[in-house]
Amino acid sequence: MISKAGKTKFQIDLRRHLRENYVNENLTHLICEIAEASKYIIHSISTGDLGVAGTSNLYGEQQLALDVLADRILRKRLEHSRVVANMMSEEMDEIIPVSPDCDGKYSVAFDPLDGSSLVDVNLAVGTIVSIFEGCDLLQPGRRQVAAVYILYGPRTTLVYSVGKGVHEFGMNMLREYTLLKENLTLQPQGNLYSPGGQRNLYTPGVEGFVSKLEGRGVKLRYSGGFVPDINQILLKGQGIFIYPHLQGHPLGKLRLLFELSPMAFLIEQAGGAASDGHRPILDLQPKQIHERSPVFIGCKDDVAMAEDFIRRLE
Ligand code: AHG
Ligand code: MN
Ligand code: MN
Ligand code: MN
């Protein structure tokens, strides 16, 4: 792509790309602030304390020092951005009000460090951000105006959508995010699967679905990090990730507001699908901020097949 300014696409940085997608100034500023915050998170991951923080979050998960540090980095950036009304994160117990007026402002739900327990074994981790217009965070994910994730892997990449396709940026030598790929797209069916949760706790419909996939000869790819596992599906253009309802855990593990909604937004923008096993993730109306949901996300025909097995066998 040659931008209107005649730059080759590899020189198009995030701010220019957002402007060329007619993203308004406040949302452009917000997404660029999230990108800036990621540079400090990278530093904290590579040099920070790998120990526990001695506290736990609302899920009863032991917080790592890095969870708390990444949360603080993003929270400070958002508080000072002048365009945030409310925010919440995996590591906060409730919604934090930032500004009383909603006009021209955004509300943000984020997972500051997804897969944090993987840092000490040096596997890829990420940051996930969901953005709504105005003050309300308890909305169906379909009303998001943007979703962003940053993947801290062998390379640091940022993927975003404002509802006009899904685009990938890479961090260059100058620590700027410049365009790598535009309009990431998924094919209808894949040959990769990421089966989360414990297989011995799979319910009959999920077990039937996974056995059917395996019968098709699909390859298992599961890193334990939601961001790299979803990024693989987007960049390879195929695959399905599941973290299903399990016997004894009807809601699975992943959180709706700051993990499933933003990733479902991106995957649907890339022509894929994301379901809780019965209905689209993006149509779920959250009742409380820390809600969990089962998830089947990736190639749309594979997601439809999972729903069909669940409908017939459960
Ligand atoms: P977080 O580190 O933000 O708490 O999220 C971890 C999540 C997600 O990254 C991943 O898909 C899932 O946990 C893996 O769960 P298991 O360890 O049970 O496989
Ligand atoms: Mn956690
Ligand atoms: Mn997470
Ligand atoms: Mn997390």
Side-chain angles (χ1 to χ4, degrees):
M1 160 184 169
I2 298 285
S3 88
K4 295 176 188 60
K7 285 194 161 210
T8 68
K9 80 174 189 177
F10 298 104
Q11 294 164 325
I12 297 173
D13 67 9
L14 182 59
R15 189 178 299 277
R16 174 183 297 279
H17 197 265
L18 287 161
R19 285 186 170 144
E20 289 185 357
N21 266 301
Y22 307 105
V23 177
N24 73 53
E25 200 44 45
N26 282 1
L27 184 54
T28 295
H29 175 62
L30 176 55
I31 293 173
C32 289
E33 282 298 284
I34 291 163
E36 280 308 301
S38 73
K39 299 174 185 177
Y40 295 87
I41 294 177
I42 298 167
H43 183 68
S44 70
I45 292 170
S46 43
T47 60
D49 165 15
L50 295 181
V52 294
T55 50
S56 58
N57 62 21
L58 210 64
Y59 305 92
E61 284 177 348
Q62 194 174 52
Q63 287 172 310
L64 300 179
L66 288 178
D67 283 319
V68 175
L69 182 52
D71 194 55
R72 192 177 308 136
I73 290 167
L74 255 170
R75 182 170 168 170
K76 287 278 158 256
R77 273 273 160 179
L78 296 176
E79 277 169 351
H80 296 104
S81 68
R82 301 183 324 287
V83 294
V84 169
N86 292 312
M87 63 180 173
M88 70 80 65
S89 83
E90 176 189 350
E91 311 309 339
M92 299 176 193
D93 290 349
E94 58 213 359
I95 291 177
I96 305 282
V98 177
S99 155
D101 67 315
C102 306
D103 291 351
K105 293 203 171 40
Y106 296 90
S107 287
V108 183
F110 60 95
D111 184 348
L113 198 56
D114 174 75
S116 53
S117 60
L118 301 172
V119 173
D120 63 355
V121 293
N122 204 21
L123 284 175
V125 292
T127 296
I128 312 171
V129 186
S130 166
I131 302 174
F132 288 94
E133 210 156 21
C135 286
D136 185 3
L137 277 167
L138 282 181
Q139 302 185 62
R142 205 166 293 289
R143 292 207 202 119
Q144 291 170 100
V145 291
V148 187
Y149 67 75
I150 296 101
L151 174 54
Y152 313 107
R155 296 181 306 147
T156 299
T157 55
L158 178 147
V159 170
Y160 89 89
S161 178
V162 289
K164 299 175 185 168
V166 185
H167 315 295
E168 184 202 26
F169 290 73
M171 185 177 279
N172 68 15
M173 301 282 279
L174 304 175
R175 289 163 49 82
E176 297 157 339
Y177 284 109
T178 56
L179 185 63
L180 293 178
K181 288 191 180 72
E182 285 190 305
N183 301 315
L184 300 176
T185 310
L186 298 193
Q187 56 200 49
Q189 199 182 72
N191 63 24
L192 294 179
Y193 74 124
S194 301
Q198 288 162 263
R199 185 78 180 263
N200 62 318
L201 299 179
Y202 278 8
T203 54
V206 178
E207 182 53 41
F209 166 65
V210 170
S211 302
K212 178 83 174 172
L213 283 183
E214 289 169 342
R216 209 166 79 195
V218 296
K219 273 190 276 183
L220 192 155
R221 287 283 183 276
Y222 188 79
S223 78
F226 192 40
V227 176
D229 289 345
I230 294 295
N231 186 68
Q232 175 171 228
I233 292 171
L234 276 169
L235 271 293
K236 290 208 184 285
Q238 54 93 6
I240 184 165
F241 174 100
I242 71 171
Y243 208 108
H245 49 293
L246 301 168
Q247 290 165 38
H249 302 277
L251 293 175
K253 172 179 183 181
L254 297 182
R255 284 59 62 107
L256 182 57
L257 257 69
F258 48 75
E259 288 170 325
L260 302 183
S261 265
M263 290 308 201
F265 184 84
L266 293 166
I267 289 284
E268 279 205 11
Q269 277 292 310
S275 167
D276 68 353
H278 304 281
R279 66 194 68 77
I281 290 284
L282 291 181
D283 294 340
L284 299 180
Q285 170 58 57
K287 290 174 205 48
Q288 45 101 13
I289 56 173
H290 290 281
E291 206 154 297
R292 298 175 195 264
S293 168
V295 63
F296 303 77
I297 181 169
C299 292
K300 60 182 175 25
D301 291 0
D302 291 337
V303 172
M305 187 167 77
E307 291 179 327
D308 184 47
F309 269 93
I310 291 166
R311 194 174 20 255
R312 282 188 293 112
L313 301 181
E314 293 181 15

